[in-house]
Every structure is written in structure tokens, then in C-alpha cells.
Amino acid sequence: MAPRILLLADGGPAIGGGHVMRMLTLAEALWAQGAEPALAVPRSAAGVIEAFAPRGLEVRLLNSTEPDGLTVKHTTAADAVVFDHFRLSAEHHRALTAGRPSAAVDDLPDRPMGVDLIADPGPDRTAADYAGLTSARLLLGPDHALVRPEFAARRPMALNLRERAQGPAGRILVSMGLTDVGGITRRVVEAIRPVCGEATLEVVVGPEGPSLGWLETQADDQLRVHAPAHDMASLSATADLAVGAGGSSSFERCVVGLPTVLLVLADNQLPNARALERRGAAQVIDARAGGFEAALADVVQTLAEDARMRGQMARAAAAVCDGRGAERVARTVLSLAE
């Protein structure tokens, strides 16, 4: 029988949809390799599931994924369990898996981890970061980033476009996360629209994002709203520049060599964002800083006008990862389950 893999992800308006999207990506990779994945998420993430879960995937909507609200009943009938949940630590992992093989997708080595395998795509991550926290096997670095396969499929075309790009940016992608935490998308658009010249803004927001109503009133030929975007890979591959949130979408943009102004929205996003900046793949702005909008407008205007600088960033971004991390992680998870 095909091994049954349960993927348990945290998510919701305050947390965002990144954990859920990563587990959806891993679920499809596991499916492709012959497993039977199931996904467990909180009801507050139901909008992300409705928009992006593939047909036929078993999804369990939990009343809560608070650590104290989870019990072993939530992980029964699985041969292995994969966690994408920063609020669970070693005690929770062991209690929930009851001795079954387990893994975690993580980028926050700040707590003990009671799993057999950890996949952490951080560009600067080393085994020393997990010393004293776990005895798990470690899959480290962007080669293990969980990126949907359509990004790798569009990589050759996108990199060819980047090499031939000249003149001002024609299309700028704005993608601040499906849950649009705190209405950040509106603040970004208001800041950069006056400095974008003739460029078209392709703005992606979740169907429940706080900025959506305002964006719809502003939409025209130069501001296109995608709520949500079902072909994010094509939007990313054909854009000349992006303004995006930190998190797993950073690696999607790297796969297609998309130069990015990377906005940090949470503490856990900062280390990876700075690592990408050191590699020349992004320019980082902390959106939690007061008055960040002025700095954002300056950087976007400079990059939109400078094709040579965008080309350098594109080559640096493309060198970060190839987009096949989900295949690699799925293969290793299956070896645990079997």
C-alpha cells in the first residue's frame, strides 16, 4: 500500500499562508512519487485551501492548531507526519507522532525539535544552528526549498528574458502574501505607484486580504489585481522587477531569476532576507520600520530605471536555487515512511 503522509501546517490571518502553501507543494511532490498525502490546517486557513488545494487531496480543517489544542488523534492513520509549525517544539512533536517517523519544514532554529528529519532552506543555514536542539537528519539550504514545479518549468524562458532585457521595467510584480497582513499591499502600492513610470503593476492579494477592496477601486490598465493569482509562476517569470514579502515566495522568485525588493514583515524572515541580499539577489527593506515607504519608493524607482542593475540581480537570484527542492524533500520523507 502507498505510504500515508500527514502534513500538519499552521496558518491564518495573523500568521499568513506560507506554511500552508509549502505543505500543499510538498503534498503534490509526495503524490507524484506514489504516496497518499493528507493535509491538516486550521479553519482560519480555509480560504487558502479553497483557492489552491489540488482536487482529490484529503484536507482536514482543525478547530485549532494551537499547541495545547492538538492531540494524537489529529495525527492518527498516518505512516509519517510532517510539521510546518513554528509553535510546536520537541515535546509536542513526540506526543503527536507517538513513535511514528516524523519530519519538519523549518527556518527558525530557536527551540528543541523532536523529529527525525528537518528541511530548512535558509541560504546561510548550517548544522551548527541546530546544535543542541535536535539529533535529526538535516536537509539544509535552498536546494531544499519547497517551490512548486511550475516555477522550474518556466525557469529557462525566464532567464532568457532577463538576459535580453533592456530599458525601464515594463512590469512590476507586487506580492506581499496571501493574507496581506495588516493591509501591507495597499501601503506598498501607494508608495511605489507614483515612481513606476509607464510600468504595469501586477498586484497579487488573497481573496480575504484587507487591501483587496481598495485595490479593486484603483484597478486600471496599469494596475492589475489578481485575487488570488492561479499562475504565479507565469507572473513571476515575465515580470521585470518584484516587490515581495520574505518567506518561501523568496525562493520562487529566485528560481525564475526575478530581481526583488524584499520587504521583511516578521522576525523569522530577516535572516534569509539578509542572506539573499548578501548574494546580490534582493534589496531588503524592513517594513516594520516607521516611514519605510519612502525608502521603498527610492529603491523601486532606481531598479525600475536601471536594466543593468536588474540583470546583475537576476543572475545572482537564479544561482540561489533550481526549484526542485520539493522533489528532494519528498523523496527523503518517503524513505522515512517506508
Side-chain angles (χ1 to χ4, degrees):
M1 294 179 62
R4 289 179 53 82
I5 314 296
L6 177 68
L7 313 174
L8 193 154
D10 203 3
I15 295 168
H19 298 285
V20 177
M21 290 301 296
R22 287 200 298 201
M23 290 298 93
L24 285 172
T25 299
L26 183 56
E28 294 198 65
L30 288 165
W31 229 341
Q33 296 186 32
E36 291 185 6
L39 181 63
V41 301
R43 292 187 184 279
S44 56
V48 178
I49 294 298
E50 184 177 351
F52 292 102
R55 186 184 301 274
L57 176 66
E58 179 186 343
V59 177
R60 306 174 192 174
L61 294 178
L62 308 179
N63 290 328
S64 171
T65 55
E66 294 285 344
D68 293 340
L70 293 170
T71 66
V72 70
K73 71 177 182 180
H74 293 110
T75 60
T76 53
D79 298 305
V81 183
V82 181
F83 301 97
D84 196 337
H85 195 310
F86 292 160
R87 294 181 291 158
L88 299 181
S89 64
E91 181 181 353
H92 304 115
H93 295 145
R94 295 188 184 108
L96 289 167
T97 56
R100 282 165 293 172
S102 60
V105 176
D106 194 70
D107 44 24
L108 194 64
D110 66 346
R111 65 212 184 279
M113 305 280 281
V115 294
D116 303 302
L117 173 74
I118 296 173
D120 184 330
D124 285 347
R125 186 67 68 225
T126 68
D129 296 321
Y130 283 98
L133 298 177
T134 186
S135 58
R137 177 181 176 184
L138 302 175
L139 302 179
L140 304 180
D143 281 346
H144 302 102
L146 299 180
V147 176
R148 288 169 286 170
E150 55 263 33
F151 284 86
R154 288 163 175 78
R155 178 176 166 92
M157 176 271 289
L159 299 188
N160 184 50
L161 285 177
R162 311 268 183 250
E163 286 298 321
R164 295 188 286 109
Q166 297 180 358
R171 300 177 70 231
I172 299 175
L173 176 65
V174 177
S175 177
M176 300 309 303
L178 286 172
T179 55
D180 181 32
V181 175
I184 185 66
T185 306
R186 174 175 179 170
R187 295 176 68 186
V188 168
V189 171
E190 288 181 324
I192 70 172
R193 195 173 190 186
V195 302
C196 288
E198 299 298 316
T200 298
L201 292 182
E202 304 283 1
V203 183
V204 177
V205 66
E208 298 175 358
S211 300
L212 179 56
W214 177 83
L215 286 167
E216 289 175 336
T217 69
Q218 303 298 307
D220 56 27
D221 289 343
Q222 281 192 284
L223 196 161
R224 300 173 182 167
V225 180
H226 307 267
H230 288 284
D231 196 356
M232 195 68 188
S234 289
L235 286 173
S236 302
T238 56
D240 298 297
L241 177 65
V243 180
S248 55
S249 59
S250 300
F251 298 109
E252 295 175 350
R253 294 186 289 267
C254 285
V255 171
V256 294
L258 179 56
T260 299
V261 183
L262 191 55
L263 267 63
V264 172
L265 305 178
D267 288 344
N268 65 289
Q269 296 176 350
L270 189 58
N272 286 351
R274 292 299 185 195
L276 292 175
E277 186 174 52
R278 286 192 291 272
R279 284 161 172 74
Q283 293 196 25
V284 174
I285 294 176
D286 194 332
R288 300 166 298 176
F292 80 89
E293 291 92 342
L296 173 63
D298 286 344
V299 172
V300 168
Q301 183 173 22
T302 298
L303 288 173
E305 294 173 353
D306 193 331
R308 181 190 61 83
M309 188 180 297
R310 295 198 309 273
Q312 292 173 342
M313 291 178 69
R315 289 186 286 275
V320 170
C321 60
D322 62 4
R324 300 195 178 278
E327 299 174 23
R328 299 180 182 107
V329 175
R331 190 160 50 243
T332 310
V333 168
L334 276 176
S335 72
L336 283 178
E338 292 170 347

mmCIF file with all atom_site columns, all heavy atoms in Angstrom, residues 27-45:
data_model
loop_
_atom_site.group_PDB
_atom_site.id
_atom_site.type_symbol
_atom_site.label_atom_id
_atom_site.label_alt_id
_atom_site.label_comp_id
_atom_site.label_asym_id
_atom_site.label_entity_id
_atom_site.label_seq_id
_atom_site.pdbx_PDB_ins_code
_atom_site.Cartn_x
_atom_site.Cartn_y
_atom_site.Cartn_z
_atom_site.occupancy
_atom_site.B_iso_or_equiv
_atom_site.pdbx_formal_charge
_atom_site.auth_seq_id
_atom_site.auth_comp_id
_atom_site.auth_asym_id
_atom_site.auth_atom_id
_atom_site.pdbx_PDB_model_num
ATOM 1   N N   . ALA A 1 27 ? 2.822   18.180 -0.619 1.00 0.00 ? 27 ALA A N   1
ATOM 2   C CA  . ALA A 1 27 ? 1.793   17.165 -0.866 1.00 0.00 ? 27 ALA A CA  1
ATOM 3   C C   . ALA A 1 27 ? 1.790   16.726 -2.328 1.00 0.00 ? 27 ALA A C   1
ATOM 4   O O   . ALA A 1 27 ? 1.712   15.529 -2.638 1.00 0.00 ? 27 ALA A O   1
ATOM 5   C CB  . ALA A 1 27 ? 0.416   17.707 -0.473 1.00 0.00 ? 27 ALA A CB  1
ATOM 6   N N   . GLU A 1 28 ? 1.880   17.683 -3.243 1.00 0.00 ? 28 GLU A N   1
ATOM 7   C CA  . GLU A 1 28 ? 1.877   17.332 -4.666 1.00 0.00 ? 28 GLU A CA  1
ATOM 8   C C   . GLU A 1 28 ? 3.131   16.555 -5.041 1.00 0.00 ? 28 GLU A C   1
ATOM 9   O O   . GLU A 1 28 ? 3.073   15.627 -5.867 1.00 0.00 ? 28 GLU A O   1
ATOM 10  C CB  . GLU A 1 28 ? 1.725   18.592 -5.505 1.00 0.00 ? 28 GLU A CB  1
ATOM 11  C CG  . GLU A 1 28 ? 0.366   19.263 -5.331 1.00 0.00 ? 28 GLU A CG  1
ATOM 12  C CD  . GLU A 1 28 ? 0.039   20.225 -6.451 1.00 0.00 ? 28 GLU A CD  1
ATOM 13  O OE1 . GLU A 1 28 ? -0.104  19.763 -7.601 1.00 0.00 ? 28 GLU A OE1 1
ATOM 14  O OE2 . GLU A 1 28 ? -0.076  21.434 -6.181 1.00 0.00 ? 28 GLU A OE2 1
ATOM 15  N N   . ALA A 1 29 ? 4.276   16.908 -4.450 1.00 0.00 ? 29 ALA A N   1
ATOM 16  C CA  . ALA A 1 29 ? 5.507   16.168 -4.738 1.00 0.00 ? 29 ALA A CA  1
ATOM 17  C C   . ALA A 1 29 ? 5.425   14.741 -4.199 1.00 0.00 ? 29 ALA A C   1
ATOM 18  O O   . ALA A 1 29 ? 5.897   13.794 -4.844 1.00 0.00 ? 29 ALA A O   1
ATOM 19  C CB  . ALA A 1 29 ? 6.699   16.900 -4.133 1.00 0.00 ? 29 ALA A CB  1
ATOM 20  N N   . LEU A 1 30 ? 4.827   14.581 -3.015 1.00 0.00 ? 30 LEU A N   1
ATOM 21  C CA  . LEU A 1 30 ? 4.649   13.237 -2.466 1.00 0.00 ? 30 LEU A CA  1
ATOM 22  C C   . LEU A 1 30 ? 3.697   12.414 -3.332 1.00 0.00 ? 30 LEU A C   1
ATOM 23  O O   . LEU A 1 30 ? 3.926   11.222 -3.585 1.00 0.00 ? 30 LEU A O   1
ATOM 24  C CB  . LEU A 1 30 ? 4.107   13.333 -1.035 1.00 0.00 ? 30 LEU A CB  1
ATOM 25  C CG  . LEU A 1 30 ? 5.101   13.819 0.021  1.00 0.00 ? 30 LEU A CG  1
ATOM 26  C CD1 . LEU A 1 30 ? 4.369   14.224 1.293  1.00 0.00 ? 30 LEU A CD1 1
ATOM 27  C CD2 . LEU A 1 30 ? 6.126   12.721 0.327  1.00 0.00 ? 30 LEU A CD2 1
ATOM 28  N N   . TRP A 1 31 ? 2.629   13.032 -3.779 1.00 0.00 ? 31 TRP A N   1
ATOM 29  C CA  . TRP A 1 31 ? 1.674   12.376 -4.668 1.00 0.00 ? 31 TRP A CA  1
ATOM 30  C C   . TRP A 1 31 ? 2.379   11.864 -5.917 1.00 0.00 ? 31 TRP A C   1
ATOM 31  O O   . TRP A 1 31 ? 2.169   10.729 -6.353 1.00 0.00 ? 31 TRP A O   1
ATOM 32  C CB  . TRP A 1 31 ? 0.601   13.398 -5.069 1.00 0.00 ? 31 TRP A CB  1
ATOM 33  C CG  . TRP A 1 31 ? -0.798  12.919 -4.916 1.00 0.00 ? 31 TRP A CG  1
ATOM 34  C CD1 . TRP A 1 31 ? -1.240  11.636 -4.810 1.00 0.00 ? 31 TRP A CD1 1
ATOM 35  C CD2 . TRP A 1 31 ? -1.961  13.756 -4.854 1.00 0.00 ? 31 TRP A CD2 1
ATOM 36  N NE1 . TRP A 1 31 ? -2.619  11.607 -4.682 1.00 0.00 ? 31 TRP A NE1 1
ATOM 37  C CE2 . TRP A 1 31 ? -3.060  12.890 -4.702 1.00 0.00 ? 31 TRP A CE2 1
ATOM 38  C CE3 . TRP A 1 31 ? -2.161  15.122 -4.908 1.00 0.00 ? 31 TRP A CE3 1
ATOM 39  C CZ2 . TRP A 1 31 ? -4.381  13.380 -4.630 1.00 0.00 ? 31 TRP A CZ2 1
ATOM 40  C CZ3 . TRP A 1 31 ? -3.453  15.601 -4.828 1.00 0.00 ? 31 TRP A CZ3 1
ATOM 41  C CH2 . TRP A 1 31 ? -4.545  14.739 -4.686 1.00 0.00 ? 31 TRP A CH2 1
ATOM 42  N N   . ALA A 1 32 ? 3.211   12.718 -6.492 1.00 0.00 ? 32 ALA A N   1
ATOM 43  C CA  . ALA A 1 32 ? 3.904   12.361 -7.729 1.00 0.00 ? 32 ALA A CA  1
ATOM 44  C C   . ALA A 1 32 ? 4.847   11.180 -7.529 1.00 0.00 ? 32 ALA A C   1
ATOM 45  O O   . ALA A 1 32 ? 5.169   10.469 -8.490 1.00 0.00 ? 32 ALA A O   1
ATOM 46  C CB  . ALA A 1 32 ? 4.676   13.568 -8.257 1.00 0.00 ? 32 ALA A CB  1
ATOM 47  N N   . GLN A 1 33 ? 5.274   10.956 -6.281 1.00 0.00 ? 33 GLN A N   1
ATOM 48  C CA  . GLN A 1 33 ? 6.193   9.856  -6.003 1.00 0.00 ? 33 GLN A CA  1
ATOM 49  C C   . GLN A 1 33 ? 5.494   8.656  -5.383 1.00 0.00 ? 33 GLN A C   1
ATOM 50  O O   . GLN A 1 33 ? 6.134   7.766  -4.841 1.00 0.00 ? 33 GLN A O   1
ATOM 51  C CB  . GLN A 1 33 ? 7.332   10.356 -5.105 1.00 0.00 ? 33 GLN A CB  1
ATOM 52  C CG  . GLN A 1 33 ? 8.184   11.425 -5.798 1.00 0.00 ? 33 GLN A CG  1
ATOM 53  C CD  . GLN A 1 33 ? 9.403   11.833 -5.007 1.00 0.00 ? 33 GLN A CD  1
ATOM 54  O OE1 . GLN A 1 33 ? 9.985   11.036 -4.281 1.00 0.00 ? 33 GLN A OE1 1
ATOM 55  N NE2 . GLN A 1 33 ? 9.816   13.081 -5.148 1.00 0.00 ? 33 GLN A NE2 1
ATOM 56  N N   . GLY A 1 34 ? 4.158   8.636  -5.456 1.00 0.00 ? 34 GLY A N   1
ATOM 57  C CA  . GLY A 1 34 ? 3.410   7.439  -5.090 1.00 0.00 ? 34 GLY A CA  1
ATOM 58  C C   . GLY A 1 34 ? 2.868   7.392  -3.683 1.00 0.00 ? 34 GLY A C   1
ATOM 59  O O   . GLY A 1 34 ? 2.327   6.359  -3.267 1.00 0.00 ? 34 GLY A O   1
ATOM 60  N N   . ALA A 1 35 ? 2.981   8.459  -2.931 1.00 0.00 ? 35 ALA A N   1
ATOM 61  C CA  . ALA A 1 35 ? 2.447   8.481  -1.562 1.00 0.00 ? 35 ALA A CA  1
ATOM 62  C C   . ALA A 1 35 ? 0.993   8.923  -1.562 1.00 0.00 ? 35 ALA A C   1
ATOM 63  O O   . ALA A 1 35 ? 0.460   9.396  -2.577 1.00 0.00 ? 35 ALA A O   1
ATOM 64  C CB  . ALA A 1 35 ? 3.277   9.416  -0.689 1.00 0.00 ? 35 ALA A CB  1
ATOM 65  N N   . GLU A 1 36 ? 0.341   8.785  -0.412 1.00 0.00 ? 36 GLU A N   1
ATOM 66  C CA  . GLU A 1 36 ? -1.011  9.293  -0.198 1.00 0.00 ? 36 GLU A CA  1
ATOM 67  C C   . GLU A 1 36 ? -0.937  10.388 0.863  1.00 0.00 ? 36 GLU A C   1
ATOM 68  O O   . GLU A 1 36 ? -1.023  10.112 2.056  1.00 0.00 ? 36 GLU A O   1
ATOM 69  C CB  . GLU A 1 36 ? -1.946  8.177  0.255  1.00 0.00 ? 36 GLU A CB  1
ATOM 70  C CG  . GLU A 1 36 ? -2.253  7.143  -0.816 1.00 0.00 ? 36 GLU A CG  1
ATOM 71  C CD  . GLU A 1 36 ? -3.284  6.131  -0.354 1.00 0.00 ? 36 GLU A CD  1
ATOM 72  O OE1 . GLU A 1 36 ? -3.844  6.314  0.762  1.00 0.00 ? 36 GLU A OE1 1
ATOM 73  O OE2 . GLU A 1 36 ? -3.521  5.158  -1.073 1.00 0.00 ? 36 GLU A OE2 1
ATOM 74  N N   . PRO A 1 37 ? -0.776  11.650 0.455  1.00 0.00 ? 37 PRO A N   1
ATOM 75  C CA  . PRO A 1 37 ? -0.680  12.726 1.445  1.00 0.00 ? 37 PRO A CA  1
ATOM 76  C C   . PRO A 1 37 ? -2.052  13.184 1.916  1.00 0.00 ? 37 PRO A C   1
ATOM 77  O O   . PRO A 1 37 ? -3.052  13.082 1.199  1.00 0.00 ? 37 PRO A O   1
ATOM 78  C CB  . PRO A 1 37 ? 0.023   13.841 0.670  1.00 0.00 ? 37 PRO A CB  1
ATOM 79  C CG  . PRO A 1 37 ? -0.415  13.626 -0.752 1.00 0.00 ? 37 PRO A CG  1
ATOM 80  C CD  . PRO A 1 37 ? -0.568  12.131 -0.921 1.00 0.00 ? 37 PRO A CD  1
ATOM 81  N N   . ALA A 1 38 ? -2.102  13.692 3.122  1.00 0.00 ? 38 ALA A N   1
ATOM 82  C CA  . ALA A 1 38 ? -3.276  14.380 3.662  1.00 0.00 ? 38 ALA A CA  1
ATOM 83  C C   . ALA A 1 38 ? -2.769  15.616 4.379  1.00 0.00 ? 38 ALA A C   1
ATOM 84  O O   . ALA A 1 38 ? -1.648  15.630 4.903  1.00 0.00 ? 38 ALA A O   1
ATOM 85  C CB  . ALA A 1 38 ? -4.053  13.479 4.616  1.00 0.00 ? 38 ALA A CB  1
ATOM 86  N N   . LEU A 1 39 ? -3.590  16.652 4.395  1.00 0.00 ? 39 LEU A N   1
ATOM 87  C CA  . LEU A 1 39 ? -3.175  17.930 4.960  1.00 0.00 ? 39 LEU A CA  1
ATOM 88  C C   . LEU A 1 39 ? -4.109  18.308 6.100  1.00 0.00 ? 39 LEU A C   1
ATOM 89  O O   . LEU A 1 39 ? -5.336  18.211 5.970  1.00 0.00 ? 39 LEU A O   1
ATOM 90  C CB  . LEU A 1 39 ? -3.211  19.010 3.876  1.00 0.00 ? 39 LEU A CB  1
ATOM 91  C CG  . LEU A 1 39 ? -2.783  20.420 4.264  1.00 0.00 ? 39 LEU A CG  1
ATOM 92  C CD1 . LEU A 1 39 ? -1.319  20.445 4.703  1.00 0.00 ? 39 LEU A CD1 1
ATOM 93  C CD2 . LEU A 1 39 ? -2.985  21.379 3.091  1.00 0.00 ? 39 LEU A CD2 1
ATOM 94  N N   . ALA A 1 40 ? -3.545  18.737 7.234  1.00 0.00 ? 40 ALA A N   1
ATOM 95  C CA  . ALA A 1 40 ? -4.331  19.227 8.368  1.00 0.00 ? 40 ALA A CA  1
ATOM 96  C C   . ALA A 1 40 ? -3.941  20.675 8.631  1.00 0.00 ? 40 ALA A C   1
ATOM 97  O O   . ALA A 1 40 ? -2.765  20.985 8.848  1.00 0.00 ? 40 ALA A O   1
ATOM 98  C CB  . ALA A 1 40 ? -4.068  18.372 9.608  1.00 0.00 ? 40 ALA A CB  1
ATOM 99  N N   . VAL A 1 41 ? -4.939  21.572 8.596  1.00 0.00 ? 41 VAL A N   1
ATOM 100 C CA  . VAL A 1 41 ? -4.704  23.006 8.783  1.00 0.00 ? 41 VAL A CA  1
ATOM 101 C C   . VAL A 1 41 ? -5.830  23.583 9.629  1.00 0.00 ? 41 VAL A C   1
ATOM 102 O O   . VAL A 1 41 ? -6.909  22.995 9.732  1.00 0.00 ? 41 VAL A O   1
ATOM 103 C CB  . VAL A 1 41 ? -4.652  23.760 7.434  1.00 0.00 ? 41 VAL A CB  1
ATOM 104 C CG1 . VAL A 1 41 ? -3.549  23.209 6.546  1.00 0.00 ? 41 VAL A CG1 1
ATOM 105 C CG2 . VAL A 1 41 ? -5.996  23.685 6.716  1.00 0.00 ? 41 VAL A CG2 1
ATOM 106 N N   . PRO A 1 42 ? -5.628  24.750 10.247 1.00 0.00 ? 42 PRO A N   1
ATOM 107 C CA  . PRO A 1 42 ? -6.720  25.368 11.000 1.00 0.00 ? 42 PRO A CA  1
ATOM 108 C C   . PRO A 1 42 ? -7.811  25.903 10.076 1.00 0.00 ? 42 PRO A C   1
ATOM 109 O O   . PRO A 1 42 ? -7.555  26.220 8.912  1.00 0.00 ? 42 PRO A O   1
ATOM 110 C CB  . PRO A 1 42 ? -6.025  26.517 11.743 1.00 0.00 ? 42 PRO A CB  1
ATOM 111 C CG  . PRO A 1 42 ? -4.824  26.826 10.930 1.00 0.00 ? 42 PRO A CG  1
ATOM 112 C CD  . PRO A 1 42 ? -4.379  25.517 10.342 1.00 0.00 ? 42 PRO A CD  1
ATOM 113 N N   . ARG A 1 43 ? -9.010  26.004 10.605 1.00 0.00 ? 43 ARG A N   1
ATOM 114 C CA  . ARG A 1 43 ? -10.124 26.533 9.808  1.00 0.00 ? 43 ARG A CA  1
ATOM 115 C C   . ARG A 1 43 ? -9.849  27.947 9.316  1.00 0.00 ? 43 ARG A C   1
ATOM 116 O O   . ARG A 1 43 ? -10.372 28.362 8.281  1.00 0.00 ? 43 ARG A O   1
ATOM 117 C CB  . ARG A 1 43 ? -11.411 26.500 10.629 1.00 0.00 ? 43 ARG A CB  1
ATOM 118 C CG  . ARG A 1 43 ? -11.909 25.105 10.918 1.00 0.00 ? 43 ARG A CG  1
ATOM 119 C CD  . ARG A 1 43 ? -13.270 25.069 11.578 1.00 0.00 ? 43 ARG A CD  1
ATOM 120 N NE  . ARG A 1 43 ? -13.635 23.699 11.896 1.00 0.00 ? 43 ARG A NE  1
ATOM 121 C CZ  . ARG A 1 43 ? -14.145 22.842 11.028 1.00 0.00 ? 43 ARG A CZ  1
ATOM 122 N NH1 . ARG A 1 43 ? -14.375 23.229 9.786  1.00 0.00 ? 43 ARG A NH1 1
ATOM 123 N NH2 . ARG A 1 43 ? -14.440 21.612 11.388 1.00 0.00 ? 43 ARG A NH2 1
ATOM 124 N N   . SER A 1 44 ? -9.028  28.673 10.039 1.00 0.00 ? 44 SER A N   1
ATOM 125 C CA  . SER A 1 44 ? -8.708  30.044 9.618  1.00 0.00 ? 44 SER A CA  1
ATOM 126 C C   . SER A 1 44 ? -7.916  30.087 8.324  1.00 0.00 ? 44 SER A C   1
ATOM 127 O O   . SER A 1 44 ? -7.793  31.145 7.704  1.00 0.00 ? 44 SER A O   1
ATOM 128 C CB  . SER A 1 44 ? -7.924  30.752 10.728 1.00 0.00 ? 44 SER A CB  1
ATOM 129 O OG  . SER A 1 44 ? -6.758  30.015 11.070 1.00 0.00 ? 44 SER A OG  1
ATOM 130 N N   . ALA A 1 45 ? -7.383  28.942 7.879  1.00 0.00 ? 45 ALA A N   1
ATOM 131 C CA  . ALA A 1 45 ? -6.653  28.865 6.611  1.00 0.00 ? 45 ALA A CA  1
ATOM 132 C C   . ALA A 1 45 ? -7.508  28.272 5.500  1.00 0.00 ? 45 ALA A C   1
ATOM 133 O O   . ALA A 1 45 ? -6.990  27.946 4.425  1.00 0.00 ? 45 ALA A O   1
ATOM 134 C CB  . ALA A 1 45 ? -5.373  28.042 6.778  1.00 0.00 ? 45 ALA A CB  1
#
